[in-house]
Amino acid sequence: MTQDLIRRAVIAGTGSALPRRRVTNAELAETVDTTDEWIVERTGIRARYIAGDGETTATLAADAARRALESAGIAAASVGLIVLATATPDQTFPSSATKVQALLGIDDCVAFDVQAVCSGFLYALSVAESMIRSGAATTALVIGAETFSRILDWEDRGTCVLFGDGAGAVVLTAEDGPADPAQARGVLSTRLHADGRHNDLLYVDGGPSTTGTVGKLRMKGREVFRHAVVNLAGVLNEVLAELELTSADIDWLVPHQANARILDATARKLGLSPDRVIVTVDQHANTSAASVPLALDVAVRDGRITRGDLLVLEAMGGGFTWGASVVRF
Ligand code: UT7
């Protein structure tokens, strides 16, 4: 008797890209009223990358996508769908996803941006994998890319030291596998949430339909921190419970990289050993929608994450939005 197969989206390859210029805390302290000690103690951040001339969200995204396609051994021409998560598009329109499409030389595919700030990659992954499961796509690029340095208020030390620029990408392909998630690979379960009552805790004070300007990032950091720990623990428990898993089953937690203290608190709440958590916030700072795929690519390339590992991806950001996904790599 043949076993029933179901279609899932599998991560066929990963890639990432960073701007040329790396800026340490000590360098920032030359122009901002801050210290390396404060930043490291409160956030775990030691450095971030800042986009320079010619480097934009779309160029970083395209570089990350090229590396992901290369690692998957898939030609750009085979891509039928590009979903790009960003809160810092090159322009209000057209979407940065269509710019990436042009940079990759893809003549015809579906391409659009998704905007859920720091949770953007989880939202984009969910949209792309749903389209793969439904048969609307078979090969997809899912990208998180940001240039937050361009919306930071460099006079506000409470926010400007926290963010960096970069991009991460995954190639998803359709694969028919066992119905039982315990034996399957690919995206196994995703949960997303939003609560718009908290718009005013993390936002940009401009936009095309309000001020007509791009605006700068504003954040009530302490309140965001409090919500982040509670919301992340909640959605992680939800997504694990759906598959009847516990934290003991997780090989790697690949979290949104906002603050090392949030990562520690989340791991503690889950009862997960800190050495099962991928941490890149020290080197990249908070790269918003790019942070999860960037951290994933770092850990795949340095050999920590290997085929067959059970991963949990999670993020929380402005909106608020938050979500988590369980993936067998
Ligand atoms: O990715 C989206 C989600 N975002 C987040 O998850 C961010 C969540 N929040 C955080 O990570 C933390 O709340 C921060 C890192 C933003 C701030 O840490 P905190 O421990 O909550 O500090 P605070 O904002 O309460 O500020 C404490 C003190 C203040 O001084 P007083 O009022 O106590 O004298 C600030 O003025 O630290 C001061 N401060 C700084 N000092 C040196 C704030 N920023 C700086 C700075 N350098 N860069």
Side-chain angles (χ1 to χ4, degrees):
M1 202 177 79
T2 54
Q3 198 189 10
D4 283 345
L5 298 179
I6 65 166
R7 178 152 294 197
R8 288 193 180 84
V10 167
I11 298 182
T14 66
S16 60
L18 292 163
R20 292 180 296 271
R21 182 166 166 238
R22 181 174 182 269
V23 179
T24 62
N25 293 344
E27 266 178 276
L28 264 193
E30 289 169 16
T31 52
V32 178
D33 179 20
T34 189
T35 60
D36 176 52
E37 293 71 32
W38 189 93
I39 301 173
V40 172
E41 191 191 309
R42 298 294 177 118
T43 72
I45 297 166
R46 294 181 184 275
R48 75 285 293 137
Y49 290 79
I50 304 285
D53 288 349
E55 291 174 324
T56 70
T57 291
T59 68
L60 293 167
D63 287 345
R66 272 190 211 99
R67 287 173 194 144
L69 287 166
E70 198 178 54
S71 81
I74 288 175
S78 307
V79 172
L81 170 67
I82 301 174
V83 188
L84 170 55
T86 189
T88 47
D90 284 25
Q91 292 148 270
T92 303
F93 77 80
S95 70
S96 295
T98 59
K99 297 193 118 191
V100 171
Q101 177 194 6
L103 288 167
L104 295 179
I106 301 171
D107 291 341
D108 185 18
C109 71
V110 177
F112 57 92
D113 290 357
V114 159
Q115 214 278 53
V117 206
C118 298
S119 315
F121 182 77
L122 268 299
Y123 271 66
L125 183 73
S126 173
V127 170
E129 78 97 8
S130 302
M131 288 178 73
I132 284 178
R133 271 194 290 112
S134 75
T138 51
T139 304
L141 268 171
V142 185
I143 311 168
E146 304 276 17
T147 44
F148 261 48
S149 64
R150 300 206 166 118
I151 57 162
L152 294 175
D153 175 355
W154 290 95
E155 309 273 298
D156 176 12
R157 68 177 185 172
T159 55
C160 73
V161 304
L162 304 174
F163 295 89
D165 303 334
V170 301
V171 178
L172 294 182
T173 52
E175 190 175 280
D176 295 326
D180 179 3
Q183 295 171 29
R185 65 179 200 139
V187 180
L188 303 178
S189 169
T190 301
R191 286 295 175 98
L192 301 175
H193 293 276
D195 185 349
R197 287 173 300 175
H198 303 296
N199 272 191
D200 61 336
L201 297 182
L202 176 49
Y203 65 101
V204 168
D205 62 3
S209 183
T210 50
T211 59
T213 60
V214 172
K216 299 290 180 202
L217 181 146
R218 307 290 169 205
M219 178 166 76
K220 297 196 176 107
R222 193 165 278 194
E223 288 174 67
V224 176
F225 190 111
R226 196 165 48 80
H227 283 278
V229 175
V230 174
N231 291 350
L232 289 171
V235 75
L236 285 166
N237 284 327
E238 235 179 282
V239 86
L240 289 174
E242 191 181 325
L243 294 170
E244 296 177 6
L245 297 170
T246 70
S247 57
D249 299 306
I250 303 173
D251 292 304
W252 296 104
L253 179 67
V254 187
H256 172 50
Q257 311 281 322
N259 185 321
R261 289 188 290 140
I262 297 179
L263 303 188
D264 292 344
T266 307
R268 246 196 329 272
K269 275 201 166 214
L270 268 185
L272 194 67
S273 155
D275 60 9
R276 303 276 91 186
V277 182
I278 304 297
V279 180
T280 55
V281 67
D282 55 330
Q283 292 306 316
H284 301 154
N286 182 345
T287 58
S288 182
S291 88
V292 170
L294 191 45
L296 174 65
D297 185 53
V298 165
V300 168
R301 282 175 197 265
D302 71 20
R304 274 178 291 174
I305 293 178
T306 56
R307 286 289 167 194
D309 281 353
L310 192 70
L311 315 180
V312 179
L313 319 181
E314 51 91 323
M316 142 95 193
F320 290 140
T321 55
W322 66 105
S325 190
V326 179
V327 180
R328 172 99 48 204
F329 187 62

